[in-house]
Amino acid sequence: ALADVLSGSYNPAGRLPLTFYASDSEVPPLDNYSMENRTYRYFKGQPLFPFGYGLSYSTFKFSDLKVQSTAATTDNVPVEVTVKNTGKVDGDEVVQLYLKHDAEGAPISALKGVKRIYLKAGESKTVSFELTPTELGLVNRSGTLVNNADHIKVFVGGGQPQYPTLTSGNAAEADLQISGEPFYIH
């Protein structure tokens, strides 16, 4: 199996479930319980390998991102993107959907959807997600999950949007404006 991977006979598509920091000095002390600069959601530095990172013998292009431009706090929001294998090797891609809220205290980005797809060289496929009010919401200071009126950037790609050079392809992005009364999720 290892020989197949090293020779390119098999194209792996694993992704990291955690962040590898460049140095332990970038991580806050253990007695500091703040989320600031912790986990991929709040880390502002340049990691050695970020959450969601993975290699491929192929490259992928993300295009035609379809997200409605406005939604109410109680709406589900469908998301569609076209993924094309632009390389010469068949392989899997792990399509990752991230949200970036404009709200104060919101994560830098938050993973809200993942789908693994197989594409032959030159093949394209449409990948669909549906964002619920729960996935669009944020936890407020009192610890309640609530979907408030907010401006959200939607990113779909092969990794985190803040590290575009560490992915197997580009990322497609769109804007989403949430409006209406706060929707509290129990």
Side-chain angles (χ1 to χ4, degrees):
L2 186 55
D4 286 343
V5 170
L6 293 176
S7 69
S9 298
Y10 174 73
N11 189 1
R15 296 295 183 262
L16 289 178
L18 64 140
T19 298
F20 286 84
Y21 301 97
S23 165
D24 61 355
S25 65
E26 295 177 319
V27 181
L30 292 176
D31 61 354
N32 175 355
Y33 296 112
S34 165
M35 289 306 293
E36 185 177 342
N37 227 23
R38 245 183 242 286
T39 80
Y40 81 93
R41 294 172 50 153
Y42 297 95
F43 184 66
K44 293 179 182 156
Q46 179 69 34
L48 195 57
F49 301 106
F51 171 87
Y53 172 78
L55 297 174
S56 176
Y57 288 118
S58 199
T59 55
F60 299 88
K61 181 179 180 193
F62 295 82
S63 61
D64 302 321
L65 180 60
K66 293 181 176 81
V67 181
Q68 60 198 56
S69 59
T70 60
T73 55
T74 56
D75 290 347
N76 285 355
V77 177
V79 177
E80 263 187 17
V81 68
T82 301
V83 184
K84 181 176 184 175
N85 182 340
T86 56
K88 297 177 182 176
V89 179
D90 300 350
D92 286 3
E93 174 62 309
V94 179
V95 181
Q96 302 172 46
L97 184 150
Y98 290 88
L99 298 182
K100 180 177 175 33
H101 292 260
D102 276 352
E104 184 181 335
I108 295 168
S109 67
L111 180 68
K112 297 298 178 172
V114 175
K115 291 197 178 170
R116 177 183 291 270
I117 60 171
Y118 175 80
L119 294 171
K120 293 182 183 225
E123 181 182 10
S124 294
K125 209 176 255 185
T126 299
V127 179
S128 301
F129 297 93
E130 186 161 22
L131 295 168
T132 65
T134 299
E135 292 164 328
L136 293 166
L138 292 170
V139 176
N140 64 17
R141 290 190 184 271
S142 64
T144 304
L145 182 59
V146 61
N147 192 8
N148 284 310
D150 193 5
H151 175 261
I152 301 172
K153 280 245 187 239
V154 179
F155 296 90
V156 182
Q160 289 185 57
Q162 61 266 38
Y163 308 111
T165 60
L166 297 176
T167 68
S168 54
N170 67 316
E173 65 179 80
D175 292 303
L176 171 62
Q177 183 65 48
I178 303 292
S179 59
E181 294 298 314
F183 180 65
Y184 294 89
I185 299 134
H186 303 285

